[in-house]
Amino acid sequence: MQERKITLSEKEIPRQWYNVVADMPNQPSPPLHPGTKQPIGPEDLAPLFPMPLIEQEVSTERWIDIPEEVLDVLALWRPTPLYRAYSLEKALGTPAKIFYKYEGVSPAGSHKTNTSIPQAYYNKISGTKRISSETGAGQWGSALSFACARFSLECTVYMVKVSYEQKPYRRSMIETWGAEVFPSPTDRTQAGQKIIAESPNSTGSLGIAISEAVEDAATHNDTKYALGSVLNHVLLHQTVIGLETKKQLEKAGEKADILIGACGGGSNFAGLAFPFVADKLAGENLRMIGVEPSACPTLTRGTYAYDFGDTVGLTPLVQMYTLGSSFVPPGIHAGGLRYHGESPLVSQLVHEKIFEAQAYHQNEVFKSAVLFAKTEGIIPAPESAHAVKSAVEEALRCKKDGKGETIVFNLSGHGHFDMASYDAYLGGSLKDYSLDDKLLDSSISKIPEV
Amino acid sequence: MQERKITLSEKEIPRQWYNVVADMPNQPSPPLHPGTKQPIGPEDLAPLFPMPLIEQEVSTERWIDIPEEVLDVLALWRPTPLYRAYSLEKALGTPAKIFYKYEGVSPAGSHKTNTSIPQAYYNKISGTKRISSETGAGQWGSALSFACARFSLECTVYMVKVSYEQKPYRRSMIETWGAEVFPSPTDRTQAGQKIIAESPNSTGSLGIAISEAVEDAATHNDTKYALGSVLNHVLLHQTVIGLETKKQLEKAGEKADILIGACGGGSNFAGLAFPFVADKLAGENLRMIGVEPSACPTLTRGTYAYDFGDTVGLTPLVQMYTLGSSFVPPGIHAGGLRYHGESPLVSQLVHEKIFEAQAYHQNEVFKSAVLFAKTEGIIPAPESAHAVKSAVEEALRCKKDGKGETIVFNLSGHGHFDMASYDAYLGGSLKDYSLDDKLLDSSISKIPEV
């Protein structure tokens, strides 16, 4: 019997998060105030986030302790397994070794709980009574609802209306853990009321839902806001993925040649890759690839500039790869990758050529996902399937070149709530979208000068 | 940090299945031919099953080797974790220790893959080209489709029409792994054609789907039939659950006082409990409880008699607890527990008072399931939730009596494809069904004399 799973004991869960900022060749550019365009300070973020998370957001310390109370919940599903994909390798006939880190074992089915738990914890000890947030496809909303249940916090989720209606089971999951969910736009906020007045039949967008969640937090003293990706502290929390992977590769006697993760806001790719950045900077021969949809190719076709994180222009300006905050991505099934921007930290590392980026169309992505399901068993989330596709491509390149490279990718979640997208793929009705150059030029031209 | 997960390494996956027949105080009564009512032999089963499975069905050997090729696939998710439910214990304020064995980590999300893999394997080495089967809620159909993908077998699933329409995502899952699925009744079989002629709007039933799958296998030389519960060889394959649990309890320095599993056909309860039967017979103080829905109370209100396994009366007669093969269970959400009979081996051990049985209504079952989800994180399948409810009841009894008993239950699957039932529960629209005594008397009166 070949050993497929490289497991760690509970005692081997990382006790500290790794902060990549400490090892980056250049310090990150500061976020700017959307009005004054001057660097913002912690006090600007205080209405939205509790102070321990703001401290993490701006920290330059290399290691940050994970509180015991957080570890105690992470231990429900961590350490997660690292699998050797023997069956996929065999199906591809590749000399490459393929490993995947499986984050779908969390109660909510994705890596998102790695950050929802510490975010809920720090809010709890800071006196927050309620957390508001938005969710698109529902992975973040369910992860946050689970975390709030664990720390006895109330939770309000603004779910993009079209997802609320099309993905009722993610909504049920959020409700089962006790959060309240509203289809956004709602009449609970001024932002929502304004949208409804303008377009009574609006099916919502992530941008609108963010505006509603932020307004909810900003207008209630006992309420804070939480975000599921993009921000430094969110990526920090995800580094448990890469830290465990390092230990597991050591156990297996392997060294990664390529690390791969899907990129929306950047947190699952960063979670895997950040703990390896210092090795690469120290001269190790290692490729780290962020994979995005061709329909929303932020890293591969966007511009590196200061831009808003949301559509409405209420958030601070951050330096990142962006398609322009007015860019509306087409309705691909990987809802979690439909974001005009990218985490500033991941963007900077791509800009400085420490990370690479690739883009694929959704039909070729689902083709790899189905091959993966038939060989390795697990049905990948559409987002995670982008990492599968890249791993398959790299493995086939190795086959062509006769190279036995070691490829490690992050299988960030399962697709149990995304079977409609598999239906569409198997039924041949899935559309590939090419980027409209004029549309891109137009949205990039609207990026503000700083 | 409290240690929540008791894990085993891949090397600790059991290498042999345990056959409880070797240790039963009385040998099981033989199945009878539906026509002659004489004991049947292996040759009667040969049109439906490959010989290695028939040999297991009638074996009296205590230990049966698990083939290397089967172990190699089981290792994708086995050994499964045994969890200490600290958070649930705390919420209940009980001095009892609660453990749960989590089988939802399999690719198809339930324990069913423990038997679909060996069934597909033995069919493959016996020359079978295609397997036909039925599925109700879809757990068995998806587990079988996954197994057939692994061993390059074709697979045809007859899915009860109402489930096919109400649970499209289980169907998508079956199709993603490559099986063909038909809403039963179909016009592909004489059995289906007959039903459609009689009731053109039939939404199907498990009984009809079984008839179609059996006919499909019996009328095609290259095709065999597979069943997901009830039969001796199926329960045998599930004993990996209890064998692992034994090792894990030893590791944790614990001894079970109570073992609990939900009971439909009996395979997940048997999988946990069978490996402990010899201990109980040797004098150990151990309770083993099968839990069923009050709406379909086979073990608690049925009669112990020879009866048909299917509604149409085509299968052999087996001695078991039964509500009568004409009994139609109400439409509770735990579709996997809607069966008029019970595995003969489990039935005999209940009859001989080695096992106990309990029944609960679905609203109280879902109440426990939501408490479990909020404390332990995992959302249980409605079937598995029956075991949760029983564990909660036993833990509350321990609280009342001040007893620190050790309770171990089988969390046989997750509820990701059953969120509609949580919706119904949370929305207050879930109905509890009391058994109609006249209906029961009538269906029991139709049990044939042997």
Side-chain angles (χ1 to χ4, degrees), chain B residues 297 301-302 322-324 327 435-445:
Chain B
R301 304 216 22 214
T322 176
L323 298 165
F327 180 80
L435 193 64
D436 180 331
D437 287 329
K438 276 186 197 158
L439 203 75
L440 180 60
D441 288 347
S442 153
S443 67
I444 283 186
S445 72

Side-chain angles (χ1 to χ4, degrees), chain A residues 1 5 68 78 150 375, chain B residues 1 5 78 150 375:
Chain A
M1 199 174 84
K5 282 196 300 286
E68 198 69 14
R78 302 212 73 84
R150 293 294 318 204
T375 50
Chain B
M1 199 175 85
K5 281 196 301 287
R78 304 211 73 86
R150 293 293 319 203
T375 50

Side-chain angles (χ1 to χ4, degrees), chain A residues 22-35:
Chain A
D23 287 320
M24 282 167 73
N26 299 296
Q27 284 308 290
S29 316
L32 307 180
H33 191 281

